[in-house]
Amino acid sequence: MSTKTKTRFWLDDGRLMRAVFFVLLFASGVVLWLDFDQLYNQQSAAPYNPQQGDTPILPAVDRPEINPNNPQFSPSERVELPRETLQQPLTATLESGNRLTLQGSIDVGAFARLEPDLKRMAEYVDWVDISSPGGSVDDALALAKLVRELKLNMRVPAGGYCASSCPLIFAAGIKRDMHQRANLGVHQIYVPANDPNATRNPAQAMSDAQSITALITKHLADMGVDSALWVHALETPPQRLYYFTPEEAKAYKLATLISD
């Protein structure tokens, strides 16, 4: 074989190898994009919106040692508030006995709407009873900051329900009372598929998810709560809920009191 023929052969071979390399690189990129896109649909900078109905308002229990089909562990049996109340935008109502109730989903704008009322009523309040299926993380964190500034005591009452981003508000109480029959749980945060404001950039979704997780972790630590409890949220899909036992809530310092 002549030198010229050998040179052409190696040039062709090099082109072939480069072509194979770029095909493999492209295929890997597609696979990574699909993985990121799937993760994006599960977790991002905002949680599900209970008012949109894209996730069960009362997700099934997600604990390996508990049979979710056992009626005694069914959220619909344990939670005393009607679904309709939980799905309504968050409201603040001053009750008799120096008690304030926060009920409903944490809709976008809940903080701006409720801040004036909470500041006005705080001096008359001994305990705030909260029941919410969660909602906007930004509003939950802002409300939590306000709760701590106002030095309010938080309580999840018997038959009450505090899930998803709701425990972030509960964690801000000076005293935090969880009733033995209260329902307190967490799961992954994510942007609903039908959210018109959702970004379709997988890399940005990943960045947002990590940023909000960092904010939540810091918030819990600042409130004196063991931020390791949020691992249960990261491990639990949005369609299910990790319910804390009173003993766990006390061990994680999420609850300072367990009432019966």
Side-chain angles (χ1 to χ4, degrees):
M1 183 183 294
S2 67
T3 303
K4 186 174 183 180
T5 302
K6 290 181 179 178
T7 302
R8 187 182 300 114
F9 172 81
W10 286 112
L11 283 173
D12 291 345
D13 188 56
R15 289 172 182 168
L16 177 62
M17 293 301 293
R18 283 196 296 273
V20 170
F21 171 77
F22 284 119
V23 168
L24 291 174
L25 185 63
F26 175 76
S28 298
V30 170
V31 171
L32 284 173
W33 188 91
L34 290 173
D35 286 343
F36 280 134
D37 191 57
Q38 182 181 19
L39 181 60
Y40 155 80
N41 282 314
Q42 295 179 346
Q43 178 172 316
S44 190
Y48 79 97
N49 184 345
Q51 295 172 283
Q52 291 182 1
D54 57 342
T55 297
I57 194 73
L58 296 171
V61 63
D62 188 33
R63 295 184 63 103
E65 74 277 19
I66 292 176
N67 178 4
N69 298 317
N70 188 327
Q72 70 170 311
F73 299 119
S74 171
S76 60
E77 296 291 330
R78 293 168 55 91
V79 178
E80 296 178 4
L81 286 175
R83 287 174 184 265
E84 294 75 18
T85 300
L86 293 171
Q87 286 181 299
Q88 294 303 310
L90 193 66
T91 59
T93 306
L94 188 61
E95 311 282 1
S96 60
N98 300 96
R99 182 172 61 93
L100 179 78
T101 59
L102 277 178
Q103 292 182 350
S105 65
I106 307 168
D107 55 306
V108 175
F111 169 72
R113 185 178 69 253
L114 297 178
E115 180 186 19
D117 292 337
L118 291 175
K119 286 183 174 179
R120 175 174 50 84
M121 295 186 289
E123 62 178 303
Y124 306 107
V125 174
D126 292 331
W127 286 95
V128 177
D129 288 354
I130 187 167
S131 284
S132 171
S136 165
V137 169
D138 287 341
D139 284 88
L141 288 172
L143 285 167
K145 182 179 179 182
L146 180 61
V147 164
R148 180 53 63 98
E149 288 176 355
L150 296 175
K151 296 181 171 58
L152 296 173
N153 300 314
M154 302 298 296
R155 177 168 56 198
V156 184
Y161 179 61
C162 185
S164 190
S165 59
C166 174
L168 301 179
I169 303 176
F170 176 70
I174 301 299
K175 295 179 182 177
R176 302 183 290 274
D177 182 7
M178 177 186 178
H179 194 276
Q180 287 280 359
R181 292 192 292 107
N183 303 277
L184 188 62
V186 292
H187 61 185
Q188 291 172 358
I189 54 176
Y190 80 106
V191 173
N194 58 352
D195 188 340
N197 298 317
T199 174
R200 296 305 300 174
N201 184 327
Q204 185 61 50
M206 283 282 290
S207 176
D208 290 345
Q210 293 178 75
S211 295
I212 197 67
T213 299
L215 282 174
I216 290 171
T217 302
K218 184 178 186 302
H219 165 69
L220 293 173
D222 289 345
M223 297 300 105
V225 178
D226 185 349
S227 55
L229 73 83
W230 202 251
V231 172
H232 295 296
L234 299 175
E235 293 177 336
T236 305
Q239 294 77 18
R240 303 183 75 81
L241 201 70
Y242 185 94
Y243 291 95
F244 293 106
T245 65
E247 293 75 20
E248 283 179 318
K250 194 74 180 291
Y252 282 122
K253 301 179 183 177
L254 180 59
T256 60
L257 301 168
I258 303 296
S259 60
D260 55 11

